Amino acid sequence: LLLGPLQAHAADPLPSWNEGEAKASIIAFVEQVTDTQSAAFVPAAQRIATFDNDGTLWVEQPMYTQLAFALDRVKALAPQRPEWKTQEPFAALLKGDTKGALAGGMEAVAKVLMATHAGMTTDEFDAIVSDWITTARHPVSGRPYTEMVYQPMLEVLDYLRANEFKVFIVSGGGIEFMRPWTEAVYGIPPEQVVGSSIETQFELRDGKGVLVRQPKVGFVDDKEGKPVAINLHIGQRPIAAFGNSDGDLQMLQYTMSGDGARFALYVHHTDAEREWAYDRESHVGKFDKGLDEAKAKGWTVVDMKSDWKTIYPPVK
Amino acid sequence: LLLGPLQAHAADPLPSWNEGEAKASIIAFVEQVTDTQSAAFVPAAQRIATFDNDGTLWVEQPMYTQLAFALDRVKALAPQRPEWKTQEPFAALLKGDTKGALAGGMEAVAKVLMATHAGMTTDEFDAIVSDWITTARHPVSGRPYTEMVYQPMLEVLDYLRANEFKVFIVSGGGIEFMRPWTEAVYGIPPEQVVGSSIETQFELRDGKGVLVRQPKVGFVDDKEGKPVAINLHIGQRPIAAFGNSDGDLQMLQYTMSGDGARFALYVHHTDAEREWAYDRESHVGKFDKGLDEAKAKGWTVVDMKSDWKTIYPPVK
Ligand SMILES: [Ca+2]
Ligand SMILES: [Ca+2]
């Protein structure tokens, strides 16, 4: 508005965002840190931005995509694992009783994850994920999961990169579950993807060096783990961070605790019609403490329903 | 030579390298993977190269630089730690008996490392390292450690980057000991530095998010750990790797086990006059199994004495 309608229209870097506080806050921050005349100027090498993935860049309802992957893998592997017919949570899953199987809580989920994510080499797992992600479909929309990404957030990624930011994913999801497709979908290369991981072990097999995925949790990239992983992988405090749940709160606190201009944004899922509406009481993407702190500190909270013109990219 | 003397001279990307097999092998590899007409062409996004640091990019004699840092820190901290006067290995160190102190082996070294590397925030440690690295001097040359880097290897870094490689450090040294100065010295930003680490813990101190360095080993980035860390931090198998000791062997094996054109290089310390000569029997930078495997497999082995015109950059 300040630039005049013509110029603003011509240069709008966030066309899927409605005019409003959220959109204006993103643009104001970027213009400030890239303006060499501003006291808030930040050199390009320090323009680090981190993004949560599930619920921030792509959909996490009706269940985490990686959990859908694991459940599909249980079905695919079942013929080689006849013992699963009588072992929970596998027996329930194979009968189609997902809810019953997951009633076992974190222990049941861990069994499913280890049975489906460990035992193979990293190259083999990459191929399994790459194959699944191109064929699996979201249960509600029927679209590939890689199209269940948020168009307004894709525009934020592009806008930041156009302004010489280096953008990273910092997700509670599996680092090797994301890397096979983040470059194609988000333009984020493997080395800029941070996530949870299981341990791997180096082996020589027929003289070839491979890494074998072990059934042992290595790192949980959630809550207090996010700043730890950011420091380990990136080695710089971000100047901007984007999340959607309490699992991102420490990442946003860490980001906002540095000197100079800082930006924190929470995506609030308020759109039951076009996406899902959930926050304080949700099992997936619980957003309670984070919402309070964002309000108290004046961080940007995106109201998905009113701030976003569109949710997903156009059907290809 | 094939290009004709004039053109070769004008374009020499490695002026501190004598003509010979080592130099020719580097150039042949880079020309091959960047030639779109070659069957060995590699897209820029996959041009990942990893470099060991100690003994490959900078000097590691008469002791690892990080150990020199730790010993200096013991002296600096001693006034606040009166109990060290009677506790080994600190008591011996404070009397100037480094050899006696380190006779306690890995346990003694671990005590010194934890006492000097843990207990502070990551920001505080960054400031301590930054301060030390600008003031400390190499005990033999009297030059800053940041000038005890290998000029021929700096040229390799530049040459690779000019050909759209992304170069990473993958070192057994501490990741947070390297990051404060690698950008200035090697042009390698913090997020492209991989190393050993101790655990950190997120805390809110007066409302500010900080990471506190814990006296607990997190990851040892040596031997089998190097491919594990490469996978975790980079997520791609390198197409070129550079090292100097048995601690790099698995990184080189992992690199050479991928498809397509690959390059592995070992720096062999053969120059007792201009630098140091050591290999199979050395405690620091032991180079025994790696030397055998490099010869057996035809990897490039740099004979420092004959391959390098100069060792260090000119005095500034
Ligand atoms: Ca999330
Ligand atoms: Ca070394």
Side-chain angles (χ1 to χ4, degrees):
Chain A
L1 289 171
L2 291 173
L3 294 169
L6 185 70
Q7 201 178 343
H9 179 76
D12 188 357
L14 303 173
S16 299
W17 291 69
N18 285 313
E19 300 306 320
E21 276 183 38
K23 177 175 180 173
S25 72
I26 299 167
I27 293 174
F29 171 74
V30 171
E31 290 186 344
Q32 194 182 23
V33 299
T34 56
D35 176 1
T36 52
Q37 304 304 308
S38 164
F41 175 75
V42 176
Q46 292 159 31
R47 289 180 208 154
I48 302 289
T50 55
F51 288 80
D52 169 59
N53 185 40
D54 299 299
T56 299
L57 293 178
W58 77 351
V59 73
E60 63 183 350
Q61 297 283 5
M63 71 168 70
Y64 291 120
T65 305
Q66 192 170 358
L67 186 54
F69 163 75
L71 300 183
D72 278 359
R73 290 302 298 160
V74 167
K75 287 172 208 155
L77 291 167
Q80 304 157 43
R81 303 294 297 270
E83 71 276 18
W84 283 356
K85 279 182 195 150
T86 56
Q87 277 179 10
E88 295 301 347
F90 305 102
L93 281 179
L94 293 172
K95 282 175 206 142
D97 179 16
T98 306
K99 211 167 182 179
L102 301 182
M106 282 313 298
E107 200 183 326
V109 171
K111 274 184 188 168
V112 170
L113 286 178
M114 289 308 170
T116 55
H117 285 65
M120 69 292 282
T121 68
T122 53
D123 291 334
E124 288 163 353
F125 187 71
D126 183 302
I128 290 166
V129 172
S130 298
D131 181 55
W132 183 84
I133 203 81
T134 54
T135 54
R137 293 292 179 274
H138 187 271
V140 175
S141 72
R143 296 181 70 175
Y145 286 99
T146 48
E147 295 179 15
M148 297 300 287
V149 296
Y150 304 133
Q151 176 63 26
M153 296 303 288
L154 298 183
E155 293 168 5
V156 172
L157 292 174
D158 284 341
Y159 178 47
L160 292 176
R161 281 185 291 239
N163 283 281
E164 293 180 84
F165 276 75
K166 200 165 188 177
V167 298
F168 291 78
I169 290 174
V170 179
S171 168
I175 192 167
E176 299 205 69
F177 177 71
M178 297 183 282
R179 281 172 165 165
W181 50 267
T182 54
E183 174 88 63
V185 174
Y186 302 135
I188 298 178
E191 63 271 21
Q192 285 161 231
V193 176
V194 180
S196 297
S197 55
I198 60 177
E199 293 195 354
T200 66
Q201 194 171 292
F202 181 75
E203 283 181 22
L204 286 175
R205 289 188 174 174
D206 301 326
K208 296 270 179 190
V210 296
L211 290 164
V212 182
R213 294 169 58 82
Q214 308 294 310
K216 194 177 170 204
V217 173
F219 187 81
V220 179
D221 188 31
D222 195 32
K223 298 191 172 75
E224 288 81 4
K226 289 204 175 192
V228 169
I230 287 169
N231 182 60
L232 191 63
H233 286 255
I234 308 176
Q236 294 191 63
R237 199 186 285 257
I239 64 166
F242 301 77
N244 78 302
S245 80
D246 288 355
D248 302 308
L249 180 56
Q250 289 81 0
M251 173 168 78
L252 269 57
Q253 289 171 333
Y254 184 63
T255 299
M256 297 307 284
S257 297
D259 297 329
R262 301 272 148 182
F263 186 74
L265 180 149
Y266 260 129
V267 174
H268 190 186
H269 292 262
T270 52
D271 195 332
E273 247 174 72
R274 295 185 302 172
E275 208 243 5
W276 275 265
Y278 57 99
D279 47 35
R280 296 186 190 274
E281 305 298 328
S282 179
H283 287 295
V284 167
K286 182 174 181 169
F287 184 37
D288 181 39
K289 283 184 194 170
L291 182 53
D292 290 338
E293 186 150 338
K295 284 180 180 174
K297 297 196 170 162
W299 298 345
T300 295
V301 178
V302 172
D303 181 338
M304 193 181 265
K305 190 170 179 174
S306 63
D307 281 321
W308 287 0
K309 285 185 194 168
T310 186
I311 308 292
Y312 308 112
V315 175
K316 283 173 194 170
Chain B
L1 289 170
L2 292 171
L3 296 170
L6 186 67
Q7 201 179 344
H9 179 75
D12 187 357
L14 302 174
S16 298
W17 291 69
N18 286 313
E19 301 304 321
E21 276 182 38
K23 177 175 180 173
S25 72
I26 299 168
I27 293 174
F29 171 74
V30 170
E31 291 186 343
Q32 193 182 23
V33 298
T34 55
D35 176 1
T36 53
Q37 304 305 309
S38 164
F41 175 75
V42 176
Q46 292 159 31
R47 288 180 209 153
I48 303 290
T50 55
F51 288 79
D52 170 60
N53 185 41
D54 298 299
T56 299
L57 293 178
W58 77 351
V59 74
E60 62 183 351
Q61 298 283 5
M63 71 169 71
Y64 291 121
T65 306
Q66 191 170 358
L67 185 55
F69 164 76
L71 300 183
D72 279 0
R73 290 301 300 159
V74 167
K75 286 172 209 154
L77 291 167
Q80 304 157 44
R81 304 293 298 268
E83 71 276 18
W84 282 356
K85 279 182 195 150
T86 56
Q87 278 178 9
E88 296 301 347
F90 306 101
L93 281 179
L94 293 171
K95 282 174 208 144
D97 179 14
T98 306
K99 212 168 183 176
L102 300 183
M106 280 314 297
E107 201 182 327
V109 171
K111 275 184 188 169
V112 170
L113 286 177
M114 289 306 170
T116 55
H117 285 65
M120 67 294 280
T121 68
T122 53
D123 291 334
E124 288 163 355
F125 188 70
D126 183 302
I128 291 166
V129 172
S130 298
D131 181 56
W132 183 83
I133 202 81
T134 54
T135 54
R137 293 291 180 273
H138 187 271
V140 176
S141 72
R143 296 181 71 175
Y145 285 99
T146 49
E147 295 179 15
M148 297 300 286
V149 296
Y150 305 131
Q151 176 64 26
M153 296 304 287
L154 298 182
E155 294 169 4
V156 173
L157 292 174
D158 284 340
Y159 178 46
L160 291 176
R161 281 186 292 242
N163 283 281
E164 293 181 87
F165 277 75
K166 200 163 187 176
V167 298
F168 291 78
I169 291 175
V170 178
S171 168
I175 191 166
E176 300 204 68
F177 177 71
M178 296 183 282
R179 281 172 166 165
W181 51 267
T182 53
E183 174 88 63
V185 175
Y186 302 135
I188 297 178
E191 64 270 23
Q192 285 161 231
V193 177
V194 179
S196 297
S197 54
I198 60 177
E199 293 194 356
T200 66
Q201 195 171 292
F202 181 75
E203 282 181 24
L204 286 175
R205 289 187 175 175
D206 301 326
K208 294 270 180 191
V210 297
L211 290 164
V212 183
R213 294 170 57 82
Q214 309 294 310
K216 192 177 171 206
V217 173
F219 187 81
V220 179
D221 189 30
D222 195 32
K223 298 193 172 75
E224 288 81 5
K226 289 203 175 192
V228 169
I230 287 169
N231 182 59
L232 192 63
H233 286 254
I234 309 176
Q236 295 191 64
R237 199 186 284 258
I239 65 166
F242 302 76
N244 80 301
S245 81
D246 289 355
D248 301 308
L249 180 55
Q250 289 81 358
M251 173 168 78
L252 271 56
Q253 289 171 334
Y254 183 63
T255 300
M256 298 307 283
S257 296
D259 297 328
R262 303 271 148 182
F263 187 75
L265 180 150
Y266 261 128
V267 173
H268 191 185
H269 291 261
T270 51
D271 194 331
E273 247 176 70
R274 295 184 300 172
E275 207 244 6
W276 276 266
Y278 57 99
D279 47 34
R280 296 185 190 274
E281 306 298 328
S282 179
H283 288 294
V284 167
K286 181 175 179 168
F287 186 36
D288 181 38
K289 284 183 191 170
L291 184 52
D292 290 338
E293 187 150 337
K295 285 181 177 172
K297 296 197 169 163
W299 298 345
T300 295
V301 178
V302 172
D303 180 338
M304 192 181 263
K305 189 168 181 175
S306 64
D307 281 320
W308 287 1
K309 284 185 194 168
T310 184
I311 308 290
Y312 307 113
V315 174
K316 284 170 195 175

